[in-house]
Amino acid sequence: STLRATVDFPEPDPPATPVPVVRLRAEPYSFTYYSGLIEPQRLVVRDPAAWAEMWAAIWKRHSPLPELPQVDFAREMLVVVALGERLTGGYGILVDSAVATPDRLEIWIRAISPGPSCGVTLALTQPVDIARLPRSDGVVRFHDRTEERACQ
């Protein structure tokens, strides 16, 4: 007698192509720590009107409003990520990386919190990061990673 077994192998993930991410702040820190975005957000901005509205919301607590960075929405789009309001400093958020698959764009976000030995400011903070990516009109999926900052 012969035994026959069938094994179902999962379909491999479609190939992913790295997508260039150009953060509006080159240093490895959030774009700003004090914003008008008090709720956590993961947004894709694909047109000038939405960009102007988002820029005003980010700088809601500042006067005068900083000059709106120009974006060529025919060729690129923006990703805006907000950590939400925190009771102290030491928190941050970064747009880390992105890959394109045949059916979507995957974007990785890094949320940073202060470790137990970190000194922090005693001020409300609302970290935000902004990045330029090549325009994609398809589905965008965000993936959050958390990281605790180690301090000596």
Side-chain angles (χ1 to χ4, degrees):
S1 108
T2 305
L3 288 175
R4 291 181 188 240
T6 60
V7 178
D8 287 334
F9 291 101
E11 287 293 317
D13 287 336
T17 306
V19 172
V21 172
V22 179
R23 297 179 50 252
L24 265 58
R25 181 174 184 177
E27 304 87 9
Y29 306 107
S30 298
F31 177 74
T32 185
Y33 293 93
Y34 303 100
S35 76
L37 304 182
I38 60 172
E39 297 297 325
Q41 296 187 46
R42 309 289 182 267
L43 302 166
V44 178
V45 179
R46 294 185 172 106
D47 67 77
W51 175 223
E53 186 178 323
M54 177 53 54
W55 188 251
I58 290 168
W59 298 110
K60 178 180 177 179
R61 300 174 181 188
H62 295 78
S63 183
L65 195 64
E67 185 176 336
L68 180 70
Q70 295 303 303
V71 179
D72 179 357
F73 286 104
R75 296 184 348 193
E76 55 190 0
M77 63 184 192
L78 295 171
V79 171
V80 178
V81 295
L83 190 60
E85 190 161 78
R86 298 296 187 260
L87 297 177
T88 67
Y91 292 88
I93 190 164
L94 299 172
V95 179
D96 251 354
S97 61
V99 297
T101 66
D103 60 344
R104 68 184 170 270
L105 182 63
E106 308 269 354
I107 301 174
W108 278 265
I109 307 304
R110 184 167 25 132
I112 303 157
S113 61
S117 61
C118 293
V120 296
T121 59
L122 297 178
L124 295 175
T125 58
Q126 310 81 25
V128 170
D129 202 26
I130 306 169
R132 296 174 189 261
L133 285 82
R135 185 175 179 98
S136 167
D137 292 319
V139 173
V140 175
R141 186 162 58 175
F142 291 95
H143 303 275
D144 285 43
R145 292 189 281 230
T146 58
E147 174 184 304
E148 187 175 89
R149 182 176 290 125
C151 302
Q152 276 69 22

